[in-house]
Amino acid sequence: MTPRTELTRSLLAVLGRLPGLRPATPSTTHIGSRVPWNVDTLAVGIDDELIEIRVVALALPLPPILRKAEAALHTALKETRWKDARLRLVVTDIDAAALTPLDHASDAGA
């Protein structure tokens, strides 16, 4: 296993423990179950100077969720050769379930 593969797994494990976000993968169909590797790894890009993790928001509001995620992910990077790399979280989508409470709130005011 390469250091990048290990780091990807580590970052995905951290992300998996955080409520409100999930890795953004290109397909949510059954095709993902037929590939011999974890499709969530497609959500992580690792370069020497930049680590980019694409996520889907499962809850709102986003700012506090992203701050917690950033802090937890930076902690996971501390003891790696990427400790000085810039971390970028990219929200690619918002899950419809995250918007449901907002829909109910607008119904109540109508």
Side-chain angles (χ1 to χ4, degrees), residues 29-70:
T29 65
H30 66 284
I31 293 171
S33 65
R34 291 190 272 170
V35 294
W37 39 271
N38 183 352
V39 293
D40 287 351
T41 61
L42 295 173
V44 180
I46 299 174
D47 191 275
D48 290 338
E49 298 168 4
L50 173 68
I51 296 172
E52 181 176 279
I53 304 173
R54 292 163 295 285
V55 297
V56 173
L58 304 174
L60 296 172
L62 276 174
I65 294 170
L66 292 173
R67 282 192 296 272
K68 285 182 184 178
E70 184 178 21

Side-chain angles (χ1 to χ4, degrees), residues 71-83:
L73 292 163
H74 272 294
T75 299
L77 293 171
K78 273 187 181 177
E79 301 300 321
T80 72
R81 74 178 206 198
W82 292 277
K83 66 181 181 277

